[in-house]
Amino acid sequence: MLARLSEAPNRELRMAELAGALVNSKSGLTYQIGQMEKVGLVRRRSCPSDDRAVFAVLTDEGMALLERAAPDHVGLVRELFFDALTSDQVRALADGLGEVTRRMAAGPGETRASADGAAYSDAGVGAEAAAGLGA
């Protein structure tokens, strides 16, 4: 959330837009922003042109924390996660996570055709994957 806000104009986004960008529920985001607001990392502000809209704003304290944490965080993620994978594995992971993100954004009830043209339902994928693993 802090990184997303840091990249936005004026370090602020509408709460609904931030929730969508993070594939998070509005209520979940409200809770998380509230927790970060308590420690001064973000603040909320109302929108003067739309009484229903609320913005999440990254504070100077939040930006300072992000700037301190980002280098070590990125290095650790690279070392523990990406350095353990081959280039082909990283591409496959990106492809799979892209599909997961698309389905999460689209909502329940989506299906995806397999390479052989068969569509998997939400329940069928788990059962078939478990069977393939010998479960």
Side-chain angles (χ1 to χ4, degrees):
M1 280 181 233
L2 299 180
R4 193 63 78 149
L5 288 170
S6 75
E7 297 168 352
N10 300 319
R11 298 189 320 210
E12 65 180 22
L13 286 171
R14 284 180 182 239
M15 294 279 284
E17 183 180 351
L18 182 58
L22 298 172
V23 192
N24 195 349
S25 69
K26 290 178 187 175
S27 63
L29 179 73
T30 298
Y31 173 78
Q32 291 169 324
I33 290 293
Q35 295 302 303
M36 289 191 287
E37 192 172 32
K38 288 178 185 177
V39 295
L41 301 178
V42 299
R43 66 179 176 82
R44 287 181 252 204
R45 76 164 183 86
S46 59
C47 177
S49 62
D50 183 353
D51 292 338
R52 298 170 295 154
V54 176
F55 285 84
V57 183
L58 181 64
T59 64
D60 291 341
E61 293 83 5
M63 188 67 184
L65 175 67
L66 182 62
E67 289 171 342
R68 285 191 312 272
D72 290 338
H73 174 73
V74 169
L76 188 60
V77 169
R78 177 173 301 283
E79 177 187 336
L80 296 176
F81 192 81
F82 288 102
D83 289 353
L85 303 173
T86 67
S87 296
D88 288 341
Q89 289 170 323
V90 170
R91 280 190 290 278
L93 180 63
D95 181 51
L97 291 176
E99 178 61 18
V100 168
T101 300
R102 184 197 67 75
R103 292 186 79 184
M104 289 174 69
E110 290 291 310
T111 60
R112 178 179 182 193
S114 69
D116 65 3
Y120 295 105
S121 70
D122 291 336
V125 171
E128 289 176 9
L133 295 173

